Amino acid sequence: MPTVKEPPFPRKRTRRIMVGDVPVGGGAPVSVQSMTTTKTHDIGATLQQIAELTAAGCDIVRVACPTDKDAEALPVIARQSTIPVIADIHFQPRYVFQAIEAGCGAVRVNPGNIRRFDDQIEAITKAARDHGTSLRIGVNAGSLDRRMYQKFGGPTAEALVESAVWEASLFEQYDFHDFKISVKHHDVPTMIKAYELLSERGDWPLHLGVTEAGPAFQGTIKSATAFGALLRSGIGDTIRVSLSAPPVEEVKVGIQILRSLGLRERSLEIVSCPSCGRAQVDVYTLAENVTEGLKDLTVPLRVAVMGCVVNGPGEAREADLGVASGNGKGQIFIRGEVVDTVPEDQIVETLIRRANLLAEEMGLE
Ligand code: SF4
């Protein structure tokens, strides 16, 4: 997990649990999760998707487990996955035991339907403890416990929190503490409020998520807004961006949110100006071509593409490498100093060449 040495702002101290070999809470780096979209019992397809998620930087993966066939596939998936697997269990208590015995890193249970096995909580805590498996108590506005729904008149932030705290107490009565909690809601202000309230009630590690966030564009904005507000307040130990899009996109967005907050080491970052009446070049095309040309560079390099020489250098002073365009030329500058001036049609190739040289100098390519 490429992470920063020191987070740029204080994080709330939560207790630490382990999801397989990934620490969650207690100052551990904020991990990024996603969930497979394959039928879990299609072991080949599921492992293939897990491999793609792993390559994208996913730290922990969750798989659905709605049928016997899915539960039976868990041992192979848990063994062959290179990142910890969380089994997502609803309704069927016996799948919880199967997932624990399969070697899953964690099991997600939902208080909205866990009442059916209240009397099995003690056995679950024993099995989880014996196998070193953690749990996630996943409260969700869409499947809120009916008693809470009635008491609070709907899935309010207070209702989600009450449900989570009650569920936590069921496990805590058996001195079991290896669980994290999520209180997901589709409405960003309600979701933020729920996590803030929950964070005041205990030191549980928290899994952040906006449920049913929507298609990629809307879901990205909702997740970035919600996670940004909470993480900046120090709340949140692991995140899952939910998108109606391929899960690899969820991972990319999650990592980018953490990088934007300074919680992950940055990689290549293209900074381009929005363009304005002063622009003397097509900034959008230039930025696109530079992005495409540098897409394989994985070094923490900030490259600025600016539309004019009036404000460009000043606006990009913090960049490692940049261009400010004007009069058919591009001023190339490195860390604020002009190092070259090239014709406009050579800007892209010059930036790519200079970026690769910088990467070599940094010894990181
Ligand atoms: Fe406008 Fe120049 Fe700033 Fe780009 S760099 S937004 S063109 S002033």
Side-chain angles (χ1 to χ4, degrees), residues 295-319:
K295 70 177 190 310
D296 296 327
L297 215 60
T298 54
V299 294
L301 202 66
R302 187 175 282 151
V303 179
V305 178
M306 298 292 145
C308 74
V309 290
V310 180
N311 290 339
E315 290 183 7
R317 203 170 295 285
E318 301 300 315

Side-chain angles (χ1 to χ4, degrees), residues 81-98:
S81 170
T82 52
I83 55 175
V85 173
I86 299 179
D88 194 75
I89 312 283
H90 295 261
F91 307 116
Q92 285 288 358
R94 71 176 188 279
Y95 295 161
V96 175
F97 295 101
Q98 278 182 267

